[in-house]
Amino acid sequence: MAGKKPQKAGWTRRDFFNWMLNVVMGVIAILVAIPSVGAAITPAFHNAAPVWVNLGAQTGLQQSSVQAGTGGVGTVVKAPYSYVEVDHWAKLPAADYAYLRYIGGSCAFYILSPICTHLGCHVNWIQADNQFHCPCHGSVYTVDGLNVSGPAPLPLGVFRWKMVGNDVWVARESTFTHAHQRTTESPTEPCLKEA
Ligand code: FES
């Protein structure tokens, strides 16, 4: 019929560009969502049961702490341990250490994480100063792990521990940061010894 515009068949160039635009937007949305999904599900893995690691025989640990101290009062000793690092689906042998001190009484051991609560460096025990020093940005902690100077916002973490037979085991949490707000009046509370 004269004057009627013919119908277009198939995809036009505009249809194709619209389709491409939708595909690109979809890919971008997925890429943006992946970190959020990862962040959402990662705590589920991190909150899994703690990994218990063996620090060694109770008598040996107590002797090394007390011998290093004075008057039968223990001082801080490094207690190394090995464990299996689970990184997503890979399992790798790894090693680390805790700082242990014999304090007597019902608690017996006070066991600190060596991880600085600022940005996670390992702190060093300085016997001459009776303090922990962080080599990264200079945070200083008391013998009980209380943060006293530098940028560290919290005390050193305290490990939960328990006896298994004659050995001392600690709960190696994925974050190492059971950084309880302790006070100078009761710096070694909580003891965190488990039955
Ligand atoms: S990581 Fe220890 S002071 Fe920064």
Side-chain angles (χ1 to χ4, degrees):
M1 196 184 290
K4 186 171 181 183
K5 211 170 175 181
Q7 292 281 317
K8 290 179 185 168
W11 276 27
T12 63
R13 185 178 296 189
R14 174 174 293 186
D15 292 334
F16 176 73
F17 282 125
N18 282 341
W19 178 80
M20 280 295 293
L21 187 63
N22 286 334
V23 169
V24 170
M25 295 293 284
V27 169
I28 290 173
I30 290 170
L31 291 177
V32 168
I34 284 173
S36 313
V37 172
I41 65 172
T42 298
F45 292 104
H46 283 185
N47 288 337
V51 177
W52 287 88
V53 295
N54 188 350
L55 296 188
Q58 180 256 335
T59 47
L61 291 168
Q62 182 173 333
Q63 280 171 6
S64 62
S65 175
V66 172
Q67 282 178 5
T70 56
V73 178
T75 190
V76 174
V77 290
K78 195 182 276 189
Y81 63 83
S82 56
Y83 66 103
V84 175
E85 177 82 62
V86 179
D87 184 6
H88 295 93
W89 286 271
K91 292 185 176 180
L92 302 168
D96 208 333
Y97 56 87
Y99 282 119
L100 172 145
R101 181 163 56 109
Y102 179 73
I103 58 174
S106 58
C107 194
F109 291 111
Y110 191 62
I111 307 174
L112 292 172
S113 161
I115 305 299
C116 180
T117 58
H118 178 221
L119 292 177
C121 293
H122 278 62
V123 299
N124 297 318
W125 167 245
I126 308 296
Q127 179 77 46
D129 295 344
N130 206 38
Q131 289 176 322
F132 296 96
H133 291 191
C134 181
C136 292
H137 312 102
S139 287
V140 176
Y141 301 84
T142 67
V143 64
D144 301 311
L146 299 177
N147 49 315
V148 287
S149 68
L154 289 167
L156 292 175
V158 185
F159 280 126
R160 286 192 289 139
W161 69 278
K162 64 183 178 183
M163 293 296 299
V164 179
N166 295 321
D167 291 348
V168 173
W169 288 67
V170 295
R172 182 188 182 278
E173 308 290 343
S174 57
T175 60
F176 285 98
T177 51
H178 278 280
H180 303 275
Q181 283 292 7
R182 303 187 297 279
T183 66
T184 49
E185 287 77 37
S186 56
T188 55
E189 291 296 331
C191 155
L192 298 188
K193 181 183 179 185
E194 295 200 349

